[in-house]
């Protein structure tokens, strides 16, 4: 069994703060500070440019990719890291479309993260040729898969409510119709068990600053199924995806593996933080994480519904139908969340009316969840949210 008391000690958690927002930004891993200091002083400071070889900086994207791969059921050598999630969505979708040039539809759902849809729309506009982004309600995705679909672009866990798609079933349906799949794991990696190989997924992408605790703006990752590793076309043909980057050829020859999905120079400091953060996952069983997160979220739902009748559960009630986050609705959701934060319970708000909480067993306990529910009860019963100071929206909500 995973020792969550031990993993909790691996994170810097401010005294007195109940942090239920790891689904948006994970806390600082204790090991990250020392790791970055080592990279800055011993490697960059003393080795200078030699560190690309002496400290093996050049291989960081691959090594970190393999560590992430263990958590998402990806074969060794099938995950590359670097750039942002939006860039990786662009790459994956472009490569997937190139595999079905005779088809014109990208299928997604209205619960997808808006940035994924922006990327898809921009790529479709740039490519032209009659391509279409077709959006349906989340529960209508399976029925909308037909032989006109080139690519199914789906986020497995809804960023607002935690609603979870059945990756295996939808992938099988897409393949039966001849479509290619791209899965966004932004709210899945490190939160729920993922097995890309078993699900037969074609492409997957994800960020690392949420449940993987890689820090703000941490590098994203992309998975390419081994069957496409030497044929997926990287529309962003950067020098680090070249077969021989330091040959400096004028003609682009893609690497024969997922490495072709690398674009620019690796962000070494950011990758070092992520590498240190992934140490917390050594010896952690994702089945244990899932069981613990379900127990925490179920307890929180029960407590909030008993204590706060004015809040309405927005997340699926069935545990297997949601990820590791829970949302409630209220017309004054933004002000409620600001009042909570002022009282040292940190979640976040998603328009138009959702207060959202993440349940991350690596550092959250049942006592934390109970304490947070009690603070929420006080915010609601004493109407602490009804303060003009909590109505003014910050740039980041």
């Amino acid at each position: 069994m995973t020792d969550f008391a031990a993993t909790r000690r691996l994170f810097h958690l401010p005294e007195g703060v109940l942090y239920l927002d790891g689904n948006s930004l994970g806390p600082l891993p204790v090991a990250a500070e020392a790791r970055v200091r080592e990279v800055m002083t011993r490697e960059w400071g003393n080795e200078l440019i030699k560190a690309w070889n002496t400290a093996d900086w050049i291989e960081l994207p691959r090594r970190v990719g393999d560590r992430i791969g263990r958590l998402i059921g990806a074969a060794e050598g099938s995950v590359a890291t670097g750039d942002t999630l939006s860039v990786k969505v662009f790459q994956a979708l472009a490569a997937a479309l190139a595999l079905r040039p005779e088809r014109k539809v990208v299928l997604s759902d209205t619960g997808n993260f808006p940035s994924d849809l922006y990327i898809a729309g921009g790529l479709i506009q740039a490519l032209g040729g009659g391509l279409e982004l077709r959006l349906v309600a989340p529960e209508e995705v399976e029925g909308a898969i037909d032989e006109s679909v080139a690519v199914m672009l789906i986020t497995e866990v809804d960023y607002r409510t935690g609603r979870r798609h059945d990756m295996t079933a939808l992938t099988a349906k897409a393949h039966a119709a001849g479509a290619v799949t791209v899965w966004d794991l932004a709210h899945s990696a490190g939160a729920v068990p993922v097995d890309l190989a078993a699900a037969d997924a074609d492409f997957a992408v994800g960020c690392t600053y949420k449940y993987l605790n890689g820090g703000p703006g941490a590098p994203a990752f992309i998975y390419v199924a081994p069957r496409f590793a030497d044929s997926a076309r990287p529309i962003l043909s950067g020098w680090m995806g070249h077969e021989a980057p330091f040959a400096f050829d004028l003609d682009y020859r893609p690497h024969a593996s997922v490495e072709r999905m690398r674009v620019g120079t690796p962000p070494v400091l950011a990758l070092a933080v992520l590498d240190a953060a992934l140490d917390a996952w050594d010896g952690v069983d994702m089945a244990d994480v899932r069981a613990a997160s379900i127990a925490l979220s179920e307890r929180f739902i029960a407590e909030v519904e008993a204590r706060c009748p004015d809040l309405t559960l927005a997340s699926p009630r069935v545990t297997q139908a949601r990820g590791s986050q829970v949302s409630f609705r209220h017309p004054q959701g933004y002000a409620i969340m600001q009042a909570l934060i002022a009282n040292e319970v940190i979640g976040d708000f998603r328009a138009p009316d959702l207060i959202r909480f993440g349940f991350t067993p690596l550092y959250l306990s049942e006592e934390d969840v109970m304490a947070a529910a009690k603070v929420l009860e006080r915010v609601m019963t004493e109407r602490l949210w009804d303060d003009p100071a909590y109505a003014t929206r910050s740039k980041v909500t």
Side-chain angles (χ1 to χ4, degrees):
M1 293 291 291
T2 301
D3 184 352
F4 292 117
T7 61
R8 183 184 178 95
R9 292 191 291 271
L10 300 178
F11 295 93
H12 174 76
L13 298 163
E15 188 69 30
V17 173
L18 297 170
Y19 193 65
L20 278 70
D21 205 17
N23 54 296
S24 193
L25 176 67
L28 173 68
V30 173
E33 188 174 355
R35 177 73 176 106
V36 171
R37 189 181 303 113
E38 178 188 23
V39 172
M40 293 184 72
T41 58
R42 187 181 66 80
E43 296 177 4
W44 180 15
N46 292 334
E47 294 295 293
L48 298 168
I49 199 170
K50 295 184 296 180
W52 285 106
N53 292 313
T54 59
D56 210 17
W57 286 350
I58 198 68
E59 294 297 328
L60 257 179
R62 181 190 57 77
R63 294 203 312 272
V64 172
D66 283 341
R67 299 189 76 182
I68 294 170
R70 184 185 74 81
L71 301 175
I72 58 174
E76 186 172 335
S78 62
V79 177
T81 55
D83 314 301
T84 67
L85 179 52
S86 293
V87 170
K88 294 308 177 195
V89 170
F90 184 90
Q91 286 185 291
L93 181 56
L97 282 169
L99 292 171
R100 296 293 182 269
E102 73 285 359
R103 297 190 179 195
K104 303 301 180 183
V105 175
V106 174
L107 176 66
S108 193
D109 70 72
T110 54
N112 206 342
F113 191 65
S115 184
D116 288 21
L117 303 182
Y118 303 160
I119 294 294
L123 178 60
I124 285 171
Q125 186 175 26
L127 293 176
L131 289 168
E132 167 197 348
L133 175 59
R134 183 177 298 168
L135 296 181
V136 299
E139 60 273 13
E140 296 173 357
V141 171
E142 184 173 3
I145 299 171
D146 59 30
E147 293 183 357
S148 70
V149 175
V151 181
M152 183 182 72
L153 170 64
I154 297 290
T155 296
E156 185 191 18
V157 174
D158 189 306
Y159 76 102
R160 298 167 305 175
T161 66
R163 183 191 189 279
R164 188 182 183 191
H165 282 293
D166 187 331
M167 181 187 293
T168 300
L170 287 180
T171 299
K173 181 72 181 291
H175 286 171
V180 181
T181 61
V182 177
W183 287 95
D184 186 334
L185 306 180
H187 290 272
S188 304
V192 297
V194 177
D195 194 335
L196 293 173
D200 201 27
D202 300 309
F203 297 88
V205 295
C207 58
T208 63
Y209 49 80
K210 301 180 189 295
Y211 295 98
L212 299 183
N213 313 298
F221 64 86
I222 183 170
Y223 163 83
V224 179
R227 61 182 172 275
F228 297 129
D230 61 355
S231 61
R233 194 171 78 195
I235 195 168
L236 288 174
S237 305
W239 76 307
M240 283 295 163
H242 194 281
E243 180 183 66
F246 290 91
F248 299 109
D249 292 337
L250 298 185
D251 295 324
Y252 181 78
R253 300 192 312 276
H255 198 284
S257 75
V258 73
E259 295 284 293
R260 63 178 52 203
M261 294 300 180
R262 289 174 62 175
V263 182
T265 303
V268 171
L269 295 178
L271 282 168
V273 172
L274 176 56
D275 195 28
L278 291 170
D279 289 347
W281 293 94
D282 291 344
V284 170
D285 188 318
M286 281 306 304
D288 293 342
V289 172
R290 179 61 170 163
S293 73
I294 288 174
L296 293 174
S297 58
E298 287 288 279
R299 185 60 182 269
F300 187 72
I301 291 171
E303 292 294 330
V304 171
E305 290 190 324
R307 297 168 182 271
C308 309
D310 290 341
L311 297 178
T312 302
L313 181 66
S315 299
R317 192 168 295 278
V318 177
T319 58
Q320 294 307 316
R322 68 172 185 263
S324 195
Q325 63 207 58
V326 170
S327 297
F328 288 89
R329 283 197 167 91
H330 191 279
Q332 301 299 325
Y334 182 80
I336 290 168
M337 183 52 67
Q338 302 319 298
L340 272 173
I341 293 171
N343 284 275
E344 307 290 15
V345 175
I346 300 180
D348 60 20
F349 169 80
R350 288 296 176 262
D353 58 358
L354 295 178
I355 54 174
R356 189 176 69 159
F357 306 90
F359 297 90
T360 47
L362 263 62
Y363 51 83
L364 274 182
S365 66
E366 184 177 0
E367 291 74 21
D368 294 330
V369 166
M370 283 293 298
K374 290 176 181 177
V375 175
L376 180 53
E377 178 184 25
R378 187 163 68 86
V379 166
M380 297 304 297
T381 57
E382 298 180 18
R383 293 178 65 90
L384 298 183
W385 55 265
D386 195 10
D387 181 326
Y390 299 144
T392 303
R393 297 202 181 188
S394 301
K395 290 184 178 181
V396 179
T397 63

